Amino acid sequence: MATPIDKPRRRRAPSQVREEILRAAEAEYSRYGFSGATTAAIAARANTTETQIFRYFSSKAELFREAIQRPLDRHLQGFMSDSLTDTEAPLETRAVSYIAELQDFIVEHQRMFLSLIMAETGKAGDVAGMAGVDALHDYFARGAEVVRDRTCGADKLPPELMVRISFASLLGCVLFKDWLYPEGMADDEQLRAATTRFVMDGIYSDPV
């Protein structure tokens, strides 16, 4: 009887190995957070070894930055560049549209946001968590300027504070929807409308 010949394992290009490590890291960090995820589990998911991981990334923290923080930073920068292109529409109409788009954005990238929140609650000193997403600082600055332009500086509360509260409200309502709202309380459309109205009432309330 002829002995079967084992097929040689397909060699992956370095760029492919690195990309598969990043995908595996994103999945593990999103599920377990920075502290709970292990490089051993990431290596197993990527069909590689921990030694191979550290050939591409100097530390677990650098892998976190490359798999979670920097991709989310790019996504958020792209979101800000693409949104609110209709500058001719009334300000309130644009604001409602922007809030709806932001909710969609958070839903699309909720695993990354959750991973960053988990990193914030149990992070080591070399992991910045949400503070490591530079685009968030740009987002807050841009939002504060929009509020300041509308109120001509006569604000009940500092715009820098209000835009952060509004963002945190949206983030919490999206990420913790199943926990916050019992089944049957409201459908998705009603929840989105209520969240939008809450943010609008906060940011666009009449100045003093």
Side-chain angles (χ1 to χ4, degrees):
M1 176 182 290
T3 302
I5 300 175
D6 292 335
K7 293 182 178 180
R9 294 182 61 184
R10 182 174 60 87
R11 183 179 294 275
R12 294 177 292 179
S15 59
Q16 182 182 1
V17 174
R18 187 180 188 277
E19 184 60 32
E20 290 178 6
I21 290 172
L22 286 172
R23 285 201 299 267
E26 192 273 335
E28 290 292 315
Y29 285 136
S30 296
R31 184 171 183 181
Y32 301 108
F34 177 78
S35 298
T38 66
T39 51
I42 293 169
R45 185 183 286 269
N47 194 27
T48 188
T49 65
E50 289 183 272
T51 299
Q52 190 82 325
I53 287 177
F54 291 115
R55 287 177 182 166
Y56 293 95
F57 307 97
S58 62
S59 66
K60 181 182 174 184
E62 184 192 354
L63 178 55
F64 183 83
R65 287 190 291 271
E66 293 294 330
I68 301 293
Q69 289 171 317
R70 288 177 182 166
L72 184 57
D73 188 86
R74 291 194 297 270
H75 294 321
L76 187 53
Q77 290 285 10
F79 167 77
M80 290 190 294
S81 297
D82 295 338
S83 61
L84 291 182
T85 55
D86 183 11
T87 57
E88 299 301 319
L91 179 59
E92 184 165 342
T93 300
R94 285 183 282 148
V96 169
S97 176
Y98 185 77
I99 293 169
E101 290 172 8
L102 182 57
Q103 289 183 77
D104 290 338
F105 176 83
I106 294 173
V107 168
E108 182 180 357
H109 303 290
Q110 59 184 313
R111 283 180 35 161
M112 287 185 172
F113 278 112
L114 282 169
S115 184
L116 288 168
I117 291 170
M118 293 171 71
E120 286 285 356
T121 58
K123 67 187 180 186
D126 54 354
V127 179
M130 292 289 281
V133 182
D134 293 334
L136 272 178
H137 303 293
D138 296 337
Y139 169 84
F140 292 144
R142 173 177 169 176
E145 284 304 312
V146 169
V147 177
R148 189 174 290 109
D149 287 346
R150 179 197 179 267
T151 61
C152 300
D155 306 289
K156 293 179 178 179
L157 290 171
E160 293 81 5
L161 178 62
M162 290 306 301
V163 72
R164 284 166 170 79
I165 292 173
S166 299
F167 179 81
S169 299
L170 280 176
L171 191 64
C173 287
V174 171
L175 297 185
F176 307 116
K177 181 182 72 172
D178 293 339
W179 171 67
L180 286 171
Y181 310 113
E183 186 176 356
M185 173 178 281
D187 59 28
D188 285 345
E189 184 176 346
Q190 291 171 320
L191 292 176
R192 287 171 64 91
T195 303
T196 299
R197 188 68 263 166
F198 174 82
V199 173
M200 291 288 294
D201 288 346
I203 291 184
Y204 294 94
S205 58
D206 291 333
V208 176

